[in-house]
């Protein structure tokens, strides 16, 4: 395959810690490792614009500002970002643009690519619940903000030559909300081998793990209440990795429920510590209701961990009830307690379901995702070249 110059636009990128930034950085590094020239444009992690090279990728950052209601969320203002992204686009002159959102960075790059006639691929990671949670939108305004958010996204993504989303459920949501058709489901993908390790210690306590933002749509309070309701006699510990606006409240809830000494809130951890946490976990729980795929659930599955997840959004694509874990009705804490108790109390079930998780995650290998996007880029460039020949 002929090496391409690929520009990835993302409104959050490493070292930010969230699913979108982790996917974008893995996509960029993976494409660079395959011989492509890869550039990324993203908001600065600490404010000032800069250029750096990491994992073979040239990362151009634009000036960003801290969002007033969130400790880690940063935004790039559109009135300064659009001229900057236009200049960067002209300097980079990519063969193809691949944006990860419709916010200021993605928006500016799409306008520049459209003016230049450059093929555009757009992947949707947008969920209204994530937007209103991050921005702390008051409840009475959440419904109109959600409607405006989808309308605004459609204004930008309608210019893309190909639109993708991580799962069939995510595609269904996108098309229903915007009226788009023809979108493709392409898994975010993971390097499954990175997470494989020895089985958890059968003689130690059963470790229940959650990884994700400490924000309202993740519903960690349901996990805390279910864990506290486990029958007496279970030797279990709960490990929670992630940061967010709800951490203090949920830490207080754990103490109130009497599980503070058996629950560790670890905040952000390094990639190495995260891998170690997956490998020592006995059960992974994802109670979130706004998952378009859930990379952390895929990572836990790759480590050979059974999964209990909310029966919401795209999580049913990952959890096969009775095979690699269980689904439960969001908000039904007694049902979650029952599912947790069954796995916490049965080592053989955990081992069997963990092995099934490893089998199921094979369909989400990063290599397949990279090949799919390479194929999309090449098809779009082929169409453009054919059109230029006909015009000549």
């Amino acid at each position: 395959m002929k090496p391409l110059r690929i520009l990835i636009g993302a409104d959050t990128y490493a070292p930010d810690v969230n699913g979108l930034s982790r996917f974008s950085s893995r996509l960029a590094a993976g494409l660079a490792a395959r011989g492509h020239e890869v550039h990324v444009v993203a908001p600065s992690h600490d404010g000032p614009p800069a250029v750096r090279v990491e994992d073979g990728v040239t990362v151009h950052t634009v000036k960003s500002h801290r969002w007033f209601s969130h400790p880690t969320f940063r935004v790039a203002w559109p009135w300064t970002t659009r001229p900057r992204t236009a200049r960067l686009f002209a300097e980079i002159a990519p063969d193809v643009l691949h944006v990860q959102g419709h916010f200021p960075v993605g928006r500016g790059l799409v306008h520049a690519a459209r003016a230049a006639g450059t093929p555009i691929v757009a992947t949707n990671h947008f969920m209204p619940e994530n937007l209103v949670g991050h921005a702390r939108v008051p409840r009475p305004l959440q419904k109109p903000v959600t409607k405006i958010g989808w309308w605004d996204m459609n204004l930008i993504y309608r210019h893309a030559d190909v639109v993708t989303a991580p799962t069939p459920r995510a595609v269904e949501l996108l098309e229903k909300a915007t009226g788009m058709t023809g979108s493709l489901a392409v898994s975010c993908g993971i390097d499954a081998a990175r997470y494989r390790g020895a089985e958890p210690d059968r003689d130690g306590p059963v470790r229940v793990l959650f990884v994700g933002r400490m924000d309202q749509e993740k519903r960690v309070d349901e996990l805390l209440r279910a864990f506290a309701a486990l029958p007496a006699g279970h030797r279990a510990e709960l490990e929670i990795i992630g940061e967010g606006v709800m951490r203090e409240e949920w830490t207080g809830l754990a103490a109130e429920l009497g599980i503070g000494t058996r629950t560790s809130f670890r905040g952000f951890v390094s990639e190495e510590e995260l891998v170690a946490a997956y490998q020592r976990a006995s059960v992974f729980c994802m109670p979130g209701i706004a998952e378009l795929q859930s990379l952390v659930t895929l990572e836990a599955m790759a480590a050979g961990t059974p999964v209990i997840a909310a029966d919401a959004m795209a999580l049913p694509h990952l959890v096969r009830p009775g095979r690699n874990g269980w689904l439960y009705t969001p908000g039904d804490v007694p049902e979650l307690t029952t599912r947790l108790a069954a796995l916490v109390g049965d080592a053989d079930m955990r081992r069997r379901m963990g092995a099934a998780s490893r089998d199921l995650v094979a369909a989400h290998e990063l290599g397949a995702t990279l090949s799919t996007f390479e194929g999309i880029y090449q098809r779009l460039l082929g169409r453009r070249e054919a059109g230029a020949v006909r015009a000549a």
Side-chain angles (χ1 to χ4, degrees):
M1 173 180 288
K2 175 186 173 183
L4 304 177
R5 183 179 298 132
I6 302 165
L7 175 55
I8 295 172
D11 280 271
T12 176
Y13 192 77
D16 293 347
V17 182
N18 57 65
L20 192 161
S21 67
R22 295 180 79 198
F23 164 68
S24 299
S25 59
R26 288 172 179 171
L27 175 67
L31 291 168
R34 291 188 172 202
H36 301 291
E37 180 185 335
V38 182
H39 296 259
V40 170
V41 176
S44 169
H45 179 69
D46 55 6
V51 180
R52 67 182 189 270
V53 177
E54 57 187 25
D55 298 325
V57 177
T58 304
V59 182
H60 312 258
T61 60
V62 300
K63 187 175 182 180
S64 69
H65 306 267
R66 180 183 175 276
W67 186 254
F68 72 95
S69 64
H70 199 285
T72 60
F73 188 49
R74 301 191 69 87
V75 296
W77 300 131
W79 48 88
T80 57
T81 300
R82 183 160 177 176
R84 176 61 177 159
T85 52
R87 287 194 296 272
L88 285 170
F89 187 92
E91 291 169 9
I92 297 165
D95 296 312
V96 63
L97 169 67
H98 189 167
V99 294
Q100 309 301 319
H102 65 289
F103 296 105
V105 168
R107 192 181 213 91
L109 291 172
V110 166
H111 285 301
R114 188 180 177 214
T118 301
I120 302 169
V121 179
T123 295
N124 182 53
H125 306 271
F126 175 69
M127 273 287 290
E129 289 83 355
N130 296 331
L131 173 65
V132 299
H134 263 82
R136 304 298 295 273
V137 176
R139 187 174 294 277
L141 297 178
Q142 290 180 3
K143 190 169 281 189
V145 166
T146 294
K147 186 174 182 180
I148 292 170
W150 282 120
W151 170 81
D152 186 54
M153 193 209 70
N154 192 36
L155 285 180
I156 302 304
Y157 273 41
R158 68 185 181 184
H159 298 303
D161 297 283
V162 173
V163 175
T164 76
T167 61
R169 180 70 183 92
V171 167
E172 179 187 345
L173 174 71
L174 170 68
E175 295 192 342
K176 182 177 179 181
T178 64
M180 291 182 186
T181 59
S183 302
L184 306 177
V186 182
S187 174
C188 290
I190 62 166
D191 179 6
R194 177 174 178 78
Y195 301 94
R196 295 186 187 119
E199 285 191 12
D201 181 7
R202 294 190 68 180
D203 296 325
V206 174
R207 296 179 182 273
V208 179
L209 175 66
F210 166 85
V211 179
R213 292 191 320 277
M214 295 286 98
D215 289 337
Q216 188 59 58
E217 76 273 12
K218 297 298 184 179
R219 304 279 189 103
V220 174
D221 54 319
E222 294 180 10
L223 173 57
L224 293 170
R225 295 183 190 281
F227 186 82
L230 287 174
H234 285 300
R235 293 178 61 217
E237 296 178 354
L238 177 59
E239 184 173 7
I240 297 175
I241 293 176
E243 193 58 84
V245 296
M246 299 299 293
R247 179 176 176 176
E248 183 176 349
E249 180 176 327
W250 285 337
T251 302
L253 177 61
E256 179 186 322
L257 293 169
I259 58 172
T261 59
R262 295 189 291 136
T263 304
S264 59
F265 288 84
R266 299 190 56 205
F268 289 134
V269 300
S270 68
E271 184 69 16
E272 292 70 24
E273 291 175 298
L274 179 59
V275 171
Y278 286 130
Q279 293 175 345
R280 65 174 170 261
S282 309
V283 179
F284 185 80
C285 186
M286 174 47 70
I289 59 168
E291 305 297 319
L292 289 182
Q293 180 162 51
S294 185
L295 278 175
V296 293
T297 302
L298 283 173
E299 290 164 357
M301 290 169 61
T305 309
V307 176
I308 300 174
D311 189 2
M313 282 308 299
L315 291 171
H317 289 301
L318 303 181
V319 180
R320 306 292 192 273
R323 184 177 173 193
N324 73 314
W326 302 103
L327 295 169
Y328 78 97
T329 305
D332 192 336
V333 173
E335 183 184 4
L336 175 54
T337 303
T338 298
R339 297 307 190 191
L340 269 178
L343 273 170
V344 168
D346 191 332
D348 290 335
M349 181 187 292
R350 294 197 301 272
R351 186 165 51 252
R352 173 173 55 81
M353 288 187 167
S357 281
R358 280 198 185 102
D359 292 341
L360 290 167
V361 87
H364 299 276
E365 281 286 354
L366 180 60
T369 296
L370 295 173
S371 295
T372 298
F373 280 121
E374 282 180 319
I376 291 171
Y377 304 154
Q378 290 286 359
R379 286 196 299 276
L380 291 178
L381 287 168
R383 286 183 203 166
R384 185 177 69 169
E385 291 167 1
V389 169
R390 285 195 296 270

